[in-house]
Structures are given as C-alpha cells and as structure tokens.
Amino acid sequence: MPLSKSKSLPGIMMLGTTMPKGIDGSFARKNTLSFKLTHGPVDKLQPPPSPMTAADKLAGSRELSRPSSAVALEDVIPRNMRHPRVAPAWLKHDKQVLRFYGFFQETVTERVDENSRYRHVKFMFYMEDGTLQMSEPKVENSGIPQGAFLKRHRVPRADGVGFIGPDDFRCGGQITVYGRTYHIAGCDRFTRWFYEENGIDVGEDEPMVEDTWQKSYKFGKTAEKGGLPPSYQAMDAKTLTKFQVGQPPANKKFMQFLLNDRKVLRFKAYWDDPTLYGGRIYFIIHYFLSDNTVEVNEAHSRNSGRDAYPVFYKRGPMYKKNKVNAYPGMLVSDGGLYMPEDFKVGDSISVWGRDVVLYDCDDFTQKFYKEYMDVDQKQMTMDVSEKPLRHIKLAPPPHNGIGTEQDSLINCHMIQPKPPKVDLAKLMSLSGESLRFEAKMANGEPEDECRRFVIAFFPDTDRVAVYELQQRNSGHMAGKFREKSRLKNPATGKYFEMKDFYVGTTVNICAQPLQIIRADEHALQFLEANCDHFPYADPSACAVRLQPLAGEPEMQDERGIEPDRLKELAAERGVSLVDHEVITLLRKFGMDTDSGPVICGPRALEAC
C-alpha cells in the first residue's frame, strides 16, 4: 500500500531547535513583570491583590500552591506539535531509507567490441514520504554523465494505478520506472531486516552482471598495475639475461621462504600405541611451507597423566624412510622427504616407524589444497570420537531362601541395611483382604486329576498362599501346600500381581501347573469393584468384545445363549474369551432358565 505524503506540518522548522514560548513562566516582558518571594511572577499592570488576612497567611504557610500565572508545558505546546498516539509515516519512519541495487541494459551502436552495456543503479526509497531517488555510481573514463539518475519524488507505477511503494521491490524481480525496466539484484542489511520484521520475503541477493567492456577494462587496469603474472617466455628471457650479464641465479630456498613465510598447514592426527599399557595418542602436525619442515606436538587432554612438554617430533625435515649413513659426511639424496601432496586426511604417514593417521585439518589447510591441488580435504574428515564406556552392572547373587528376597538384596546395596519400604496406603486400605481361587493340578498325571487346591492372594502385600483340600483316596494329606510369601511368576519373571489370577488361567507355583477353575463370591465382588485394575471383571469391557457377534441370530434371541455356546461363537469370529469374562457376562446379563443359567445377548449388545 503506497504511503501518502503528510501535508500538514505546523512548526516543523522549529521542532527540536527552539523552546515554545511561555514554558518558563516569563513572556519576555521584563518591564511589566516582577518576582516576589513565595509568590512567583507578578504582573505590574494588574491591580494589586487584596491584603491577606491572618488565616490566609497561615494556610499559605502550610501549603504552597501553584501560582495562577504559571503555565504548564502541555498548555503552551500547540496541539499539532505534540507527539500523537498513532504516529504518522513522516514521524514513524523518519530517516528510514530502503536501498536496493539493480541494473538495466542499454544498447550500444557503432561499436566493434560491444553491442550492449549494463549500467548499475541504486534505488533509495524514503519511507517517511514514499519518495524514490535513483543514482548511478561513477565509472572512470566512461564518457557518460553519471551520478544523480532520478531526482527524489513520488514515482507513479507503470500501469498508472498509484505510486511505487515497498511492495514493488523484490530481489530478483523487475521494476519499470518511466518506461525503462530495471532488474533488482540485491539490497542492503537494513532493508532485508526491515522486510523480515514485517514478515515479507524480499528474496536472495544475486551477483551483479558485468558486460564485455567492464571485463576488458578491469583486465587492462590490472595489466597496467602489474597484477598479472609474467609469462614463461618472459621468465626465461629474464633468466637468460641474468646469465649473460654475470648475475648469479636466485636462491630457490630463499624465494620459497619469501613467498611462503608464515604459511603453515595444520593437521590433526592420532597414533594407536600397540605396547602393553599404550593407548591412543592425539597429535597436532604442523607443515611449514617456507622450508618443507614438519613439527609434531602431542595434544594432551586434561588429567591425561602425561608429561607437560608436548613436543613429540622437533621441527625438521621428515623422511619417509629413515636411515643412518655408514660414514660421517656422506651426501644424502634430497628425495624421500614428505611434501604437501603426501598429507591427505584419512591416510597415514610414518613418523620414525609409527603409523600416524590424519583425521582432520584447519580451514587454511582445506583452502590451500582446494586452490593449488584441487583436493577437498573436508570430505575425507574422520570421526574419531571415542565411544562412551559402558560399565556392565553386576547381577545380584541368587536368593538363598533365608528371609525375603528384598532383605537379601538390600544387604548387597548397603553396608548398613535398612528395612525395605512398604506401600502404607495400599497396606492400610487393603489390609485383611483375601482373594481365593479354586484350582486343580494340570500336569497330565492321572493320579493328580482329583487333587484340589485353594490359591489365596493377599492384595495388601501381593503375597500368595496355596492350600490343598482333603480328597478321599488321593494319597495326599490336606493342609499347607505353599507358605504365604511373595512369589515370582515364571512366565513373566516378575512377582505375582492381582491381574495374574483369573478363572481359566494356569499358574506355576512350586514347579506345579495349577489351573484356576472357579473363584469365591467375595473375590468376584472385589474384582468387579476394582475393574479398572482388573479388566476381566469389567462388564462393559467384556460386552465390547462381543461386537463381532452382533450379526449372529443366537445373540439376538431373547431367550438367551448358553455360556459354552457363546465361547464357541466367539472363537469362530476370532475372539478369544476367557472363562472369567464369561462369568462376568453371566453375572451382569445372566438369566435363570430350566436348562440352567444363560446370557441375554440383546442386553449384552446394548451395553457395548
């Protein structure tokens, strides 16, 4: 939306430079005003005030009121010079300028070296009044009058609808000003920040294009200043001239020092010490390009226990194969030295018989190999971070059967053992409760089929007790089969819980499989009252499992369906009902008939 220019600016020339008249209480009429103590300024032209009584003097001494002739700041500042609540554009965006960079293409006629030219311009959009100004940077010897390209004013759009505003500028877009189309290539940081603060994507900056004349002009200026390297022919001719005049050739090592002084390649490496008590040692390798020498320092970590001096290999030439001359003073070949092309991240070098692996390098080294050898050392960086140590936790010794397992385990954790913590809330609310189930031995032995057991579960402490009932001619005495204690379920490896005991399941106690065939009335009522912890005793949850049987005619029969038949239909539909769920449905939706209790199917389906 274009910004409209404010046309009502009273007092703008004096705003901030002069003080409004009457703020200090004096109106520059010194000859008619005087000042009296405890009274303030007094106008001599006004008649003298009436004499004060004793009561008035007493009240005036208690409280000094504001003189009637004093003028407040908000009384003398004109209304149109006060700071408004909603600041106009000329005040809100004062000194805010959006700057964009662009160019346009201009045709060049009657020139051999170019047929068009790119001229760069700068757009400066003033937010305070919506005006636009364009300027062109001056180019030396261009022959074009450059500088101010478009004076500052409000520029109409190409379609004639309104004026050009901030929404018309986008990096990578085009804008038409008075019939000439400009391509916008970028903007400055403030402009990008301004657009981002307002939630507008201004686009990415583009590189400024150069025409043929600009490229040739820059090349010529560089050649004039000696910025281009000399050719091989010129170097050969210069060397030949030096030999002809008798000048000795330049020292190559000295020239290498002058060109590469303070240029050092820095690598990070490590060496795995294969000795008995050795470990991984990290190094910092410095390769000096000035004289092809190498220095290796150890990178000690905190509390490593190693000596304080880090030098592992003193600076000097490093050979790939080290050998000792048989006689002193024998000449040694210059070959076999490590050169920059021999150092590659991911490979290893030999430092006096030690294989040192290079795994990283610094930014200068990466740039050096990329520019001079076209090798990207960053891609070959290795991750040498050591894996965190994983300590194996020792398993506690097995319980010896004396006391409880919790007491024995605390002796392994503490030198002075404490009694294990108990759930007092559970102990107080469930104390005295006992859930009893009748079970039979299901080990497949004919002589054990007639044996019956009572499994008692105590929910306050999760302890289990098993008692055997007296059976005639069973050969076993009635009484305690398993003492009351906390037992582990071999199927889960955890202690028995209330949800592990239900009609129809088989539990292993004392290495004997006991199949629960029924539960007493108190146990069924307790489980139904705590159906949130025991879903098999929830009638609604059991009825929901009968939804796949809704289409069966037997489920729609008002006379009911037998429990065994219900289990068969559920198995055919892929629903496995346990005996405890059938008992729950029978207790909730059951009916008594001549043939026995049945389950009312329509009532069960309505509860789904």
Side-chain angles (χ1 to χ4, degrees):
M1 180 177 180
L3 300 175
S4 60
K5 183 177 180 181
S6 178
K7 299 180 180 179
S8 177
L9 304 177
I12 190 65
M13 300 302 295
M14 296 187 298
L15 184 61
T17 58
T18 60
M19 182 178 297
K21 184 178 180 181
I23 292 181
D24 56 350
S26 62
F27 292 83
R29 298 176 62 184
K30 299 182 179 180
N31 55 345
T32 59
L33 290 177
S34 63
F35 187 84
K36 293 184 178 181
L37 186 63
T38 68
H39 190 277
V42 178
D43 192 356
K44 294 181 178 180
L45 299 179
Q46 298 294 334
S50 59
M52 298 179 60
T53 62
D56 296 338
K57 293 181 179 180
L58 181 61
S61 61
R62 292 179 180 176
E63 179 180 1
L64 295 177
S65 61
R66 174 183 171 185
S68 59
S69 59
V71 182
L73 180 64
E74 52 271 1
D75 295 337
V76 298
I77 296 180
R79 185 179 299 274
N80 57 359
M81 294 181 64
R82 301 175 188 173
H83 199 286
R85 294 182 179 177
V86 180
W90 59 267
L91 184 60
K92 180 180 179 181
H93 300 291
D94 184 28
K95 298 182 181 180
Q96 291 185 357
V97 182
L98 305 181
R99 182 166 56 179
F100 293 88
Y101 306 98
F103 62 90
F104 68 94
Q105 189 174 10
E106 186 181 41
T107 304
V108 179
T109 58
E110 298 180 358
R111 286 293 299 267
V112 179
D113 54 347
E114 59 177 349
N115 57 4
S116 64
R117 181 182 298 116
Y118 290 105
R119 298 177 61 180
H120 299 171
V121 293
K122 288 191 300 183
F123 300 87
M124 286 172 287
F125 185 84
Y126 295 84
M127 297 291 296
E128 59 183 2
D129 54 0
T131 57
L132 178 65
Q133 180 182 0
M134 297 171 56
S135 62
E136 183 181 6
K138 294 184 179 181
V139 180
E140 183 182 1
N141 296 331
S142 63
I144 303 175
Q146 297 170 331
F149 195 83
L150 181 67
K151 291 184 178 181
R152 177 180 174 181
H153 67 287
R154 300 183 69 188
V155 180
R157 289 195 177 96
D159 54 1
V161 180
F163 298 91
I164 293 178
D167 294 339
D168 299 324
F169 293 92
R170 292 292 186 278
C171 295
Q174 295 181 352
I175 185 173
T176 303
V177 178
Y178 293 120
R180 179 174 290 171
T181 302
Y182 302 86
H183 184 83
I184 301 176
C187 61
D188 59 0
R189 291 190 301 174
F190 170 76
T191 305
R192 185 172 298 278
W193 172 86
F194 181 82
Y195 277 86
E196 290 178 355
E197 287 293 321
N198 291 273
I200 302 175
D201 184 14
V202 72
E204 299 294 335
D205 293 342
E206 299 179 356
M208 299 296 287
V209 296
E210 293 183 353
D211 51 24
T212 307
W213 181 85
Q214 290 176 341
K215 295 179 181 178
S216 60
Y217 179 78
K218 288 184 178 180
F219 182 81
K221 284 295 182 180
T222 305
E224 289 178 2
K225 297 178 181 179
L228 298 179
S231 60
Y232 289 106
Q233 292 82 1
M235 293 299 299
D236 294 341
K238 185 181 293 187
T239 304
L240 181 61
T241 303
K242 290 181 180 180
F243 279 110
Q244 290 176 352
V245 299
Q247 183 178 356
N251 189 354
K252 292 184 178 180
K253 292 185 177 181
F254 180 68
M255 294 298 298
Q256 180 182 359
F257 173 78
L258 294 179
L259 295 176
N260 300 314
D261 187 27
R262 294 175 176 266
K263 294 182 180 181
V264 182
L265 305 181
R266 190 171 185 264
F267 295 90
K268 296 181 181 179
Y270 69 89
W271 168 56
D272 290 328
D273 189 359
T275 56
L276 180 59
Y277 299 103
R280 175 168 291 186
I281 303 176
Y282 292 93
F283 300 110
I284 299 296
I285 301 178
H286 294 150
Y287 188 92
F288 299 87
L289 297 175
S290 59
D291 53 358
N292 295 333
T293 55
V294 181
E295 178 187 30
V296 182
N297 296 329
E298 294 186 14
H300 292 156
S301 60
R302 182 180 296 180
N303 298 330
S304 63
R306 298 185 178 274
D307 295 330
Y309 51 86
V311 178
F312 183 81
Y313 182 85
K314 190 172 67 172
R315 178 178 176 180
M318 182 181 293
Y319 295 92
K320 299 178 181 179
K321 292 184 179 180
N322 298 279
K323 56 183 179 180
V324 180
N325 294 330
Y327 300 98
M330 290 183 60
L331 297 178
V332 181
S333 61
D334 294 337
L337 282 174
Y338 272 110
M339 303 301 291
E341 56 267 18
D342 298 325
F343 291 82
K344 294 183 179 180
V345 176
D347 296 346
S348 60
I349 60 175
S350 178
V351 180
W352 285 92
R354 298 172 177 83
D355 292 333
V356 178
V357 181
L358 309 178
Y359 67 87
D360 199 1
C361 59
D362 60 356
D363 296 337
F364 171 76
T365 307
Q366 295 176 6
K367 184 179 179 181
F368 174 81
Y369 278 89
K370 189 66 177 178
E371 291 181 356
Y372 294 96
M373 301 183 184
D374 197 16
V375 176
D376 191 0
Q377 299 274 29
K378 188 176 182 179
Q379 293 183 354
M380 297 179 288
T381 303
M382 300 170 55
D383 184 12
V384 296
S385 58
E386 298 180 0
K387 297 181 180 180
L389 297 178
R390 182 179 179 183
H391 299 280
I392 300 177
K393 185 177 180 180
L394 297 177
H399 183 47
N400 56 6
I402 302 175
T404 61
E405 187 174 356
Q406 290 79 8
D407 294 334
S408 301
L409 188 60
I410 290 179
N411 283 277
C412 300
H413 293 166
M414 302 180 181
I415 298 178
Q416 295 181 355
K418 299 179 181 179
K421 295 182 179 180
V422 295
D423 191 351
L424 294 179
K426 185 177 179 181
L427 187 63
M428 296 296 293
S429 60
L430 300 177
S431 178
E433 291 289 345
S434 175
L435 308 181
R436 296 188 297 175
F437 303 87
E438 184 178 350
K440 65 178 181 179
M441 191 170 291
N443 56 3
E445 298 295 336
E447 59 271 13
D448 293 335
E449 291 181 357
C450 61
R451 299 176 64 181
R452 293 294 181 266
F453 302 87
V454 174
I455 301 176
F457 179 79
F458 302 89
D460 56 346
T461 56
D462 293 341
R463 292 186 294 178
V464 181
V466 183
Y467 306 94
E468 186 172 359
L469 302 178
Q470 179 68 35
Q471 296 293 333
R472 188 176 181 182
N473 296 329
S474 64
H476 296 275
M477 294 180 61
K480 187 183 298 183
F481 182 79
R482 181 65 170 88
E483 187 179 2
K484 182 171 66 173
S485 62
R486 294 191 68 186
L487 303 178
K488 282 191 175 182
N489 189 356
T492 60
K494 299 179 181 179
Y495 289 100
F496 276 111
E497 299 177 357
M498 183 173 59
K499 62 182 181 180
D500 296 333
F501 296 95
Y502 55 89
V503 179
T505 187
T506 302
V507 294
N508 289 324
I509 299 177
C510 294
Q512 295 297 333
L514 301 179
Q515 183 181 1
I516 300 177
I517 57 178
R518 68 180 69 180
D520 63 355
E521 182 65 22
H522 176 72
L524 294 176
Q525 292 179 0
F526 181 85
L527 295 177
E528 290 174 358
N530 298 273
C531 59
D532 52 346
H533 300 289
F534 195 82
Y536 290 153
D538 188 1
S540 301
C542 296
V544 170
R545 301 195 63 191
L546 299 179
Q547 289 182 353
L549 307 179
E552 294 291 338
E554 299 182 31
M555 292 296 298
Q556 304 296 336
D557 192 357
E558 295 292 342
R559 294 174 297 179
I561 182 173
E562 296 181 356
D564 295 338
R565 180 56 184 165
L566 180 62
K567 288 189 63 176
E568 293 177 1
L569 289 177
E572 293 176 0
R573 291 289 184 174
V575 179
S576 178
L577 293 177
V578 299
D579 294 342
H580 203 112
E581 291 178 310
V582 177
I583 294 174
T584 303
L585 294 172
L586 191 61
R587 289 171 59 87
K588 183 66 176 178
F589 311 106
M591 299 184 303
D592 292 332
T593 60
D594 297 338
S595 60
V598 294
I599 300 174
C600 183
R603 290 174 53 195
L605 294 177
E606 289 178 1
C608 296

